[in-house]
Structure formats: C-alpha cells, structure tokens
Amino acid sequence: LVFAIVPIAPPVQAHTVFEAPIYSTAGGIMGTATLTPLAGAEWEVVVRVSGFQPIGGDRRLAIRNVGRCTLPTFSCTGDEIIHLPNIQFFPDGSASYRTVTTAITEAKLRGSHGSSIVIHADVNIGSPIIGCGEIVPTGAAPAPTATKSPTAAPPAFGSPTHVVAPLGLKMRSAANLAASVILTLSNGETVF
C-alpha cells in the first residue's frame, strides 16, 4: 500500500460583490454600478449608464455613507466617504466607466446606514446629484425609496409634511452640532 499525503488547500474566502441600480432625478433606472473585490485590497468599480439628457463631459463620482436615494433631489445620501476618479459622459448622455481602487472596503459599503454611489452634475462636490444608486450585495433588493414617487406615502408612516428650512435641514448622528451629518433634507421636500 502506498499512502500519499496531499496538502489540503485552505478554504477559499468568499468575497461579496455589490451592485447599485442608478436612478435619475426623474426616477428612471439609467444603468448600474458593480463593485467587485479583487486580489489584495483592490476593488473594481464598473459603471454603465445611458439615457441622461445629453451632457457630455466629466462628472464627479463618489460613494456616500447613507444607502438612500430619495427622489427627486437625492438629498438623503449622507456624506461623501470615497471620491472616485471622474466619470466621462458622452454627448448622448451615456457613460462606460471602469476603475480599480484601494479606497473601498466592505465595511465602508455596509456601514451602519449603508452606502450609495452618486453622480454629480459636474466635477464639483457641491453640484447637484443627477444620478444615485443604493449599494447592496449582489442579489439583495435595494430599499424601495428610489422607486417611490416623492409624494407617495410609505406604508404606516403617518401623514406627509413639508420641510421649511431655506438652508436645508441636517439630521445628525447625535444631538449636537459636532456630530456627523447622516441626512440632509431640502427646503420644501415632502417627509413622513
């Protein structure tokens, strides 16, 4: 009898792929973003969108620390935690984007409030958000906030009211002005 000693390979660690359907301010799905872990600490980010009003040129692309894309202003997206290289739109309102980065971690994507990927109207952080996608593990359904009409009442949340705050209303993680902003509501926005 001959016995062979075969080393047992360590188990392969499963890596979670994340995805985000990207919505426009009008509420339509304009494309998708896929965030895939690679070897080491690298992540591949692939974004494909089409159908935006023709707006050729560079646009700011970022990940924010709140996984919510409430229409029509996307004001519920929290603070920017990762600035990715700009995305280049073609004159027909489409873009095909790929980058590899070490700035992303699974912990940042899962965060206590989730995460979202946003596309700004231009390269400035203060410019309006024209596209937003709630980042979720592949196969998980994103929260329904992106597909709801901005005036439709969520189930069992009471009656609507409107924000009256000309400079916006910031919701913070604690009851003090030094706490991080987790949500900003716009003046006139409908809330429940």
mmCIF file of all heavy atoms in Angstrom, residues 163-169 185-188:
data_model
loop_
_atom_site.group_PDB
_atom_site.id
_atom_site.type_symbol
_atom_site.label_atom_id
_atom_site.label_comp_id
_atom_site.label_asym_id
_atom_site.label_seq_id
_atom_site.Cartn_x
_atom_site.Cartn_y
_atom_site.Cartn_z
ATOM 1 N N VAL A 163 -40.701 70.205 4.565
ATOM 2 C CA VAL A 163 -39.582 70.825 5.267
ATOM 3 C C VAL A 163 -39.612 72.329 5.012
ATOM 4 O O VAL A 163 -39.726 72.769 3.863
ATOM 5 C CB VAL A 163 -38.236 70.237 4.789
ATOM 6 C CG1 VAL A 163 -37.061 70.976 5.405
ATOM 7 C CG2 VAL A 163 -38.164 68.749 5.085
ATOM 8 N N VAL A 164 -39.535 73.116 6.074
ATOM 9 C CA VAL A 164 -39.436 74.566 5.964
ATOM 10 C C VAL A 164 -38.097 74.951 6.584
ATOM 11 O O VAL A 164 -37.977 75.140 7.796
ATOM 12 C CB VAL A 164 -40.609 75.284 6.677
ATOM 13 C CG1 VAL A 164 -40.451 76.790 6.551
ATOM 14 C CG2 VAL A 164 -41.943 74.824 6.109
ATOM 15 N N ALA A 165 -37.072 75.006 5.744
ATOM 16 C CA ALA A 165 -35.713 75.328 6.177
ATOM 17 C C ALA A 165 -34.956 75.809 4.945
ATOM 18 O O ALA A 165 -34.435 74.987 4.186
ATOM 19 C CB ALA A 165 -35.040 74.111 6.801
ATOM 20 N N PRO A 166 -34.914 77.125 4.690
ATOM 21 C CA PRO A 166 -34.301 77.644 3.463
ATOM 22 C C PRO A 166 -32.884 77.136 3.194
ATOM 23 O O PRO A 166 -32.496 76.993 2.044
ATOM 24 C CB PRO A 166 -34.303 79.164 3.683
ATOM 25 C CG PRO A 166 -35.446 79.393 4.623
ATOM 26 C CD PRO A 166 -35.464 78.190 5.524
ATOM 27 N N LEU A 167 -32.118 76.828 4.235
ATOM 28 C CA LEU A 167 -30.758 76.333 4.041
ATOM 29 C C LEU A 167 -30.674 74.814 4.131
ATOM 30 O O LEU A 167 -29.599 74.243 4.108
ATOM 31 C CB LEU A 167 -29.819 76.965 5.074
ATOM 32 C CG LEU A 167 -29.714 78.490 5.000
ATOM 33 C CD1 LEU A 167 -28.840 79.016 6.123
ATOM 34 C CD2 LEU A 167 -29.185 78.932 3.649
ATOM 35 N N GLY A 168 -31.820 74.148 4.240
ATOM 36 C CA GLY A 168 -31.846 72.698 4.374
ATOM 37 C C GLY A 168 -31.865 72.294 5.839
ATOM 38 O O GLY A 168 -31.512 73.077 6.723
ATOM 39 N N LEU A 169 -32.295 71.092 6.101
ATOM 40 C CA LEU A 169 -32.399 70.566 7.464
ATOM 41 C C LEU A 169 -31.468 69.368 7.572
ATOM 42 O O LEU A 169 -31.657 68.367 6.891
ATOM 43 C CB LEU A 169 -33.842 70.155 7.764
ATOM 44 C CG LEU A 169 -34.118 69.551 9.128
ATOM 45 C CD1 LEU A 169 -33.815 70.558 10.236
ATOM 46 C CD2 LEU A 169 -35.576 69.104 9.209
ATOM 47 N N LEU A 185 -32.184 67.182 4.443
ATOM 48 C CA LEU A 185 -33.471 67.367 3.781
ATOM 49 C C LEU A 185 -33.492 68.751 3.138
ATOM 50 O O LEU A 185 -33.061 69.729 3.756
ATOM 51 C CB LEU A 185 -34.609 67.237 4.792
ATOM 52 C CG LEU A 185 -34.695 65.892 5.510
ATOM 53 C CD1 LEU A 185 -35.744 65.938 6.616
ATOM 54 C CD2 LEU A 185 -35.010 64.786 4.522
ATOM 55 N N SER A 186 -34.018 68.858 1.931
ATOM 56 C CA SER A 186 -34.083 70.123 1.216
ATOM 57 C C SER A 186 -35.324 70.907 1.601
ATOM 58 O O SER A 186 -36.348 70.323 1.954
ATOM 59 C CB SER A 186 -34.109 69.872 -0.298
ATOM 60 O OG SER A 186 -32.961 69.203 -0.703
ATOM 61 N N ASN A 187 -35.237 72.218 1.486
ATOM 62 C CA ASN A 187 -36.380 73.086 1.738
ATOM 63 C C ASN A 187 -37.517 72.685 0.798
ATOM 64 O O ASN A 187 -37.318 72.522 -0.389
ATOM 65 C CB ASN A 187 -36.002 74.552 1.519
ATOM 66 C CG ASN A 187 -37.079 75.500 1.997
ATOM 67 O OD1 ASN A 187 -37.745 75.228 2.984
ATOM 68 N ND2 ASN A 187 -37.228 76.595 1.297
ATOM 69 N N GLY A 188 -38.707 72.477 1.346
ATOM 70 C CA GLY A 188 -39.872 72.098 0.557
ATOM 71 C C GLY A 188 -40.023 70.606 0.316
ATOM 72 O O GLY A 188 -41.027 70.165 -0.245
#
